[in-house]
Amino acid sequence: MNYFSVLGWIFGLAAGLKPVYMHLLPWDENKFLANTYSAKRPAWIVPVAVAGLLLVAFTWYQHFTAGVDNSIILTVLFSLTAVKGIVLLFDYNRFQQAVAKMLSKDKGRHIVLIDIGTGIFGLSIILLTVFLY
């Protein structure tokens, strides 16, 4: 099994199952997000964001060296996650304010729509992995 197959399964399952564990388990997602992205940047954000950015860099390295057909597709899609990591590192306050605004408006319904989109995206990544890698 190549790196892109493993990455696709992990990335796809994490995204595809997010709506399940955020909405079907008996807990309050809005409260969880409000606590996770508090007004002051939590200490865990920097190491996790840096680790994520390093994983994106390693994915680009694998794309250029592994010779896996169609690896550019998953590499680009996975690289889009770097946007959130960069924002968390360099503009946390604006990110936190956006999350707080989404949570307060319509009881967080926008978060539900984002989670549905994330679930569909995760399923798409899994299908891409099955058929391409």
Side-chain angles (χ1 to χ4, degrees):
M1 190 177 289
N2 68 52
Y3 172 78
F4 293 97
S5 181
V6 172
L7 178 67
W9 277 103
I10 292 171
F11 186 38
L13 285 172
L17 292 175
K18 183 178 186 280
V20 173
Y21 64 78
M22 284 297 202
H23 297 285
L24 297 182
L25 295 178
W27 66 337
D28 186 1
E29 178 187 21
N30 291 353
K31 186 176 179 182
F32 172 76
L33 290 174
N35 291 337
T36 301
Y37 299 116
S38 58
K40 183 180 177 198
R41 181 170 64 186
W44 63 266
I45 287 193
V46 172
V48 169
V50 169
L53 293 173
L54 289 173
L55 187 58
V56 169
F58 181 72
T59 302
W60 278 101
Y61 170 78
Q62 285 293 316
H63 164 67
F64 288 120
T65 61
V68 176
D69 292 337
N70 302 310
S71 64
I72 189 69
I73 298 168
L74 193 56
T75 301
V76 169
L77 291 174
F78 189 63
S79 296
L80 293 174
T81 64
V83 173
K84 184 177 180 181
I86 290 169
V87 170
L88 285 173
L89 284 176
F90 298 111
D91 199 5
Y92 178 80
N93 290 332
R94 189 165 52 163
F95 177 81
Q96 191 276 333
Q97 290 169 358
V99 170
K101 183 179 176 183
M102 282 190 284
L103 291 173
S104 66
K105 187 177 181 183
D106 294 331
K107 297 182 181 179
R109 297 225 187 264
H110 190 74
I111 300 288
V112 173
L113 296 175
I114 290 172
D115 287 344
I116 290 169
T118 302
I120 293 169
F121 179 74
L123 180 60
S124 301
I125 295 295
I126 291 171
L127 292 173
L128 176 88
T129 301
V130 167
F131 292 111
L132 290 183
Y133 307 112

